[in-house]
């Protein structure tokens, strides 16, 4: 099971985890010798600056660029996909764009009804899949093995199934899967 941490201090507790930080932390973490993934939030105000932000992150030492969309339209998603392809080719850096194709949702829905990766937030809270699912948190990091042994992943799989049904109703070619998950989780909480 993949694990990402959002603070380098958790790397000693979860060896082999992926370190994911914001642009303002890339240089310091890279200077400390960590393999760094930069997380860039793609929002309407950053769509046209995405290439520059990614280039800056690589210049600061990021080895991977990850882009997470929030509230952007389908045209912006396609624009970002094209720009990120350029980043990968020109900067020879790994790129992760947190979207999927609607076709893949239809052909392999089981790939989206899962509980990983686990995300260790700055405060040590461990949540499944992505930030925004704190209501499904395993707990606070002490021992990851202990948290996993006590955790029931069924509610997360149920959430994924509901979000998948909603995402399949989306008619665009690209789907922001994590955004669907967090929005569905918020709506399910509000409906309680």
């Amino acid at each position: 099971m993949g694990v990402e941490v959002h603070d380098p201090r958790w790397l000693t507790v979860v060896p082999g985890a992926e370190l994911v930080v914001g642009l303002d932390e890339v240089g310091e973490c890279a200077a400390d010798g960590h393999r760094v993934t930069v997380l860039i939030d793609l929002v309407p105000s950053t769509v046209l600056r995405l290439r520059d932000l990614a280039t800056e992150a690589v210049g600061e030492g990021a080895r991977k660029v990850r882009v997470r969309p929030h509230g952007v339209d389908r045209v912006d998603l396609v624009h970002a996909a094209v720009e990120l392809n350029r980043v990968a080719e020109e900067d020879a850096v790994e790129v992760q764009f947190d979207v999927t194709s609607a076709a893949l949702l239809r052909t392999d829905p089981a790939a989206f009804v899962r509980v990983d990766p686990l995300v260790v937030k700055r405060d040590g809270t461990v949540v499944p899949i992505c930030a925004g699912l704190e209501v499904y948190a395993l707990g606070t990091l002490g021992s990851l093995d202990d948290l996993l042994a006590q955790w029931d992943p069924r509610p997360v799989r149920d959430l994924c199934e509901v979000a998948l049904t909603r995402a399949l109703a989306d008619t665009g070619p690209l789907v922001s899967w994590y955004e669907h998950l967090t929005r569905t989780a918020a709506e399910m909480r509000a409906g309680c």
Side-chain angles (χ1 to χ4, degrees):
M1 178 175 293
V3 179
E4 67 182 55
V5 298
H6 291 254
D7 189 305
R9 68 187 160 144
W10 300 118
L11 289 171
T12 58
V13 179
V14 189
E18 179 180 10
L19 177 59
V20 181
V21 299
L23 186 57
D24 58 332
E25 300 169 278
V26 171
E28 180 182 341
C29 291
D32 288 343
H34 300 297
R35 184 189 190 293
V36 179
T37 296
V38 65
L39 180 60
I40 300 171
D41 285 327
L42 181 68
V43 296
S45 65
T46 61
V47 170
L48 296 178
R49 297 182 20 231
L50 181 58
R51 176 79 175 99
D52 293 336
L53 294 171
T55 300
E56 179 183 345
V58 171
E60 290 287 323
R63 294 204 200 153
K64 181 176 175 182
V65 174
R66 178 175 169 194
V67 175
R68 176 178 57 190
H70 291 288
V72 293
D73 63 24
R74 293 180 177 108
V75 172
D76 288 340
L77 288 178
V78 172
H79 172 81
V82 170
E83 287 300 308
L84 290 172
N85 187 53
R86 288 184 183 140
V87 168
E89 289 178 357
E90 293 172 12
D91 295 336
V93 67
E94 184 180 352
V95 171
Q96 177 182 331
F97 190 25
D98 286 350
V99 299
T100 190
S101 71
L104 186 57
L105 287 174
R106 286 182 187 85
T107 59
D108 191 10
F112 297 92
V113 180
R114 62 173 217 269
V115 297
D116 67 312
L118 295 178
V119 178
V120 181
K121 296 176 58 179
R122 286 192 170 285
D123 67 359
T125 302
V126 180
V127 298
I129 307 172
C130 63
L133 298 180
E134 286 74 13
V135 71
Y136 299 96
L138 285 74
T140 302
L141 194 61
S143 164
L144 188 58
D145 291 334
D146 290 345
L147 285 178
L148 286 171
Q150 299 169 22
W151 182 50
D152 178 7
R154 286 178 294 196
V156 177
R157 287 193 189 102
D158 293 345
L159 165 70
C160 290
E161 288 176 359
V162 171
L164 179 63
T165 300
R166 291 178 179 187
L168 287 172
D170 194 334
T171 59
L174 297 176
V175 177
S176 178
W177 176 241
Y178 291 169
E179 190 172 11
H180 266 282
L181 280 174
T182 57
R183 190 174 341 128
T184 300
E187 290 169 4
M188 289 173 69
R189 273 193 313 269
C192 293

